[in-house]
């Protein structure tokens, strides 16, 4: 894929890597035509999303819901397995993924819904229509 300036010169990448290694959390890449691309660290993106959520709540408390467009197919599948009562290890085995990958999917889902537990994310997803209504027995067992 070629960018707005075709291919960036070879000297550019070492500067980007040095900047990242130095701990920069935000970089601006400017094309010759004046357009910019902003690269953010994941931690900074999470902080910005949290601040946006907080500000939305202040502006419109009655509509203060987490900003979520949709779940990815893998996130929805993982969350559905939580709803069925499977543990993270069992989900990893079922999906043939590492436990770390499953944990990352669930962390992303919890962040999207603005909740602290995966069980709460299941409930929020059902309320939002992102997961089909299901039997509550599994969720009740996991919360006890």
């Amino acid at each position: 894929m070629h960018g707005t300036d075709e291919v960036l010169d070879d000297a550019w990448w070492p500067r980007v890597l040095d900047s990242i290694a130095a701990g920069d959390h935000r970089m601006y890449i400017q094309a010759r035509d004046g357009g910019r691309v902003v690269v953010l660290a994941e931690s900074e993106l999470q902080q910005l999303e949290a601040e946006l959520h907080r500000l939305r709540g202040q502006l419109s408390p009655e509509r203060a819901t987490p900003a979520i467009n949709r779940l990815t197919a893998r996130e929805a599948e993982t969350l559905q397995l939580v709803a069925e009562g499977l543990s993270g290890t069992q989900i990893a085995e079922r999906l043939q993924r590492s436990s770390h990958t499953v944990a990352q999917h669930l962390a992303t889902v919890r962040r999207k819904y603005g909740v602290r537990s995966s069980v709460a994310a299941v409930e929020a997803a059902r309320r939002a229509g992102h997961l089909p209504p299901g039997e509550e027995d599994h969720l009740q067992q996991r919360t006890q």
Side-chain angles (χ1 to χ4, degrees):
M1 172 169 104
H2 296 291
T4 55
D5 292 328
E6 289 303 309
V7 179
L8 297 170
D9 63 23
D10 291 335
W12 187 82
W13 285 109
R15 288 192 308 253
V16 169
L17 295 175
D18 287 344
S19 181
I20 292 169
D24 288 343
H25 293 273
R26 189 182 300 180
M27 281 183 268
Y28 300 95
I29 304 167
Q30 187 155 353
R32 287 186 186 109
D33 67 2
R36 290 196 311 178
V37 174
V38 180
V39 180
L40 297 174
E42 178 70 19
S43 61
E44 187 167 355
L45 178 61
Q46 289 173 357
Q47 289 173 351
L48 290 171
E49 287 174 340
E51 181 65 12
L52 177 62
H53 178 68
R54 186 186 68 75
L55 291 172
R56 282 187 177 155
Q58 287 179 347
L59 294 175
S60 177
E62 69 278 359
R63 294 174 37 177
T65 58
I68 180 167
N69 293 328
R70 64 181 158 206
L71 298 175
T72 66
R74 186 62 73 185
E75 289 166 353
E77 182 178 29
T78 302
L79 201 55
Q80 181 60 47
L81 293 174
V82 169
E84 292 174 16
L86 275 67
S87 69
T89 303
Q90 293 169 323
I91 294 170
E93 289 172 3
R94 170 90 55 96
L95 299 179
Q96 297 180 345
R97 299 286 186 263
S98 75
S99 294
H100 178 72
T101 300
V102 170
Q104 289 300 313
H105 286 311
L106 292 174
T108 300
V109 168
R110 288 190 304 270
R111 187 176 69 243
K112 284 182 176 182
Y113 287 109
V115 297
R116 293 181 181 253
S117 75
S118 297
V119 171
V122 168
E123 294 165 353
R126 285 184 173 155
R127 282 192 304 272
H130 298 141
L131 279 183
E135 300 172 16
E136 301 301 321
D137 298 341
H138 297 294
L139 289 179
Q140 290 174 359
Q141 290 172 5
R142 294 208 39 200
T143 57
Q144 296 175 353

